[in-house]
């Protein structure tokens, strides 16, 4: 991979991971719309890890709270509220972990790298996002999370393993349908991403250890560049959702999906 390709992948991933428009779908489109070779699943996971580090930094107070909840779960502290949230986030991660293991161990990753699949999911899940955002109430905050809500949003996150769905889009759709506000839906979505993306990073670490030195370097550079792009995008999105709806993302998804089905 050239530095230009690494830079483009990092920018695309950093922007699309947090905007509800499907990062994996856009990463698959890069080699199809350019002369670049397909970067492959390993680089895709490396840039997701870069995004993960951006989430941890931006939501560091919430992450520290969840850490306290984890310690409280083993008797180190008595923060019952954070312990409850810690376990709800952990349980909500299980569907994505199981689905991810099934896809990876079953060898289905390459089969998901289809333009038609990306386009179809962009349209379908974009419309669902628009409906949830228009009709969903805005009465719940992240701290109001229940076990049922954690499981339902977790199931939505598992669906997002299919490219074009969008992890943030699917989880925000579920959260908005359950009555969480726009900002709180994004907050819920990003915190739920931490263990799921961390798990994917661990799986990729085994592949990375067997990769060539050049592939390892490509993964490292792409991940670092993604971190900075993702951090800037997250700051933008959280401010944007305070004063605007998700309609612009819905329109973008539908237009892109139709264009891909028509032109490719």
């Amino acid at each position: 991979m050239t530095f230009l390709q690494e830079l483009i992948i990092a920018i695309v991933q950093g922007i699309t991971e947090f905007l509800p428009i499907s990062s994996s779908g856009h990463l698959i489109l890069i080699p199809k719309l350019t002369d670049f070779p397909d970067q492959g699943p390993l680089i895709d996971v490396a840039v997701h890890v870069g995004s993960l580090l951006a989430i941890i930094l931006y939501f560091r107070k919430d992450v520290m709270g969840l850490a306290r909840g984890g310690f409280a779960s083993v008797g180190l502290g008595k923060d019952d509220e954070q312990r409850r949230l810690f376990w709800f986030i952990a349980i909500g991660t299980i569907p994505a972990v199981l689905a991810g293991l099934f896809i990876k161990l079953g060898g289905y990753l390459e089969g998901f790298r289809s333009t038609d699949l990306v386009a179809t999911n962009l349209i379908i899940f974009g419309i669902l996002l628009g409906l949830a955002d228009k009709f969903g109430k805005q009465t719940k905050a992240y701290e109001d999370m229940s076990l049922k809500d954690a499981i339902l949003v977790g199931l939505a996150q598992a669906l997002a393993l299919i490219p074009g769905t969008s992890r943030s889009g699917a989880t925000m759709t579920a959260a908005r349908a359950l009555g969480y506000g726009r900002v709180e839906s994004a907050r819920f979505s990003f915190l739920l991403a931490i263990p799921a993306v961390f798990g994917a990073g661990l799986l990729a670490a085994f592949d990375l250890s067997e990769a060539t030195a050049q592939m390892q370097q490509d993964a490292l550079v792409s991940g670092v560049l993604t971190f900075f792009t993702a951090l800037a995008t997250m700051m933008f999105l959280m401010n944007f959702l305070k004063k605007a709806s998700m309609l612009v993302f819905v329109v973008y998804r539908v237009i892109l999906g139709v264009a891909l089905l028509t032109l490719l």
Side-chain angles (χ1 to χ4, degrees):
M1 291 174 59
T2 65
F3 178 75
L4 177 60
Q5 184 178 5
E6 293 169 346
L7 180 61
I8 290 175
I9 288 173
I11 292 173
V12 169
Q13 165 64 21
I15 292 175
T16 60
E17 171 66 18
F18 300 112
L19 303 184
I21 55 177
S22 180
S23 59
S24 58
H26 281 76
L27 289 174
I28 289 172
L29 293 178
I30 289 177
K32 298 183 182 296
L33 300 177
T34 67
D35 293 328
F36 294 137
D38 191 323
Q39 67 274 4
L42 181 60
I43 299 299
D44 289 357
V45 174
V47 294
H48 276 80
V49 171
S51 300
L52 169 64
L53 296 177
I55 295 174
I56 293 174
L57 179 60
Y58 187 87
F59 290 102
R60 55 191 176 277
K61 291 183 179 179
D62 287 318
V63 172
M64 290 300 295
L66 291 173
R68 289 196 302 273
F71 287 127
S73 298
V74 294
L76 301 176
K78 296 182 180 180
D79 195 331
D80 292 336
E81 176 68 10
Q82 290 298 332
R83 179 172 58 186
R84 179 181 68 85
L85 293 172
F86 170 83
W87 280 108
F88 287 171
I89 290 291
I91 293 170
T93 303
I94 292 174
V97 171
L98 294 178
L101 287 172
F102 174 77
I103 291 171
K104 181 175 177 59
L105 297 179
Y108 301 117
L109 278 175
E110 289 300 327
F112 280 176
R113 303 177 78 80
S114 159
T115 304
D116 287 347
L117 179 64
V118 170
T120 301
N121 284 330
L122 281 170
I123 296 170
I124 292 175
F125 287 95
I127 292 172
L128 290 176
L129 173 63
L131 292 173
D133 189 51
K134 180 175 178 59
F135 297 108
K137 298 179 180 178
Q138 299 195 59
T139 57
K140 294 182 182 179
Y142 161 71
E143 288 78 10
D144 300 320
M145 187 194 316
S146 65
L147 178 59
K148 181 193 74 172
D149 290 353
I151 292 174
L152 290 174
V153 178
L155 289 171
Q157 180 169 251
L159 281 176
L161 291 171
I162 305 173
T165 303
S166 171
R167 195 208 63 80
S168 61
T171 51
M172 281 191 243
T173 297
R176 287 291 293 115
L178 290 168
Y180 289 83
R182 294 188 180 104
V183 171
E184 294 300 315
S185 294
R187 184 182 173 199
F188 190 172
S189 168
F190 297 150
L191 291 174
L192 189 63
I194 293 175
V197 179
F198 179 75
L202 282 181
L203 287 176
F206 294 104
D207 296 333
L208 192 61
S209 65
E210 300 175 356
T212 64
Q214 184 60 54
M215 289 179 65
Q216 292 176 349
Q217 179 181 322
D218 290 343
L220 178 61
V221 172
S222 299
V224 171
L225 291 172
T226 300
F227 166 79
F228 292 105
T229 308
L231 187 59
T233 303
M234 199 175 337
M235 294 170 65
F236 161 78
L237 179 63
M238 297 303 285
N239 286 320
F240 177 84
L241 292 178
K242 292 177 182 178
K243 50 192 175 184
S245 73
M246 297 186 186
L247 180 61
V248 63
F249 305 122
V250 175
V251 172
Y252 172 81
R253 289 179 64 116
V254 172
I255 291 176
L256 178 60
V258 171
L260 292 174
L261 289 175
T262 304
L263 301 176
L264 295 183

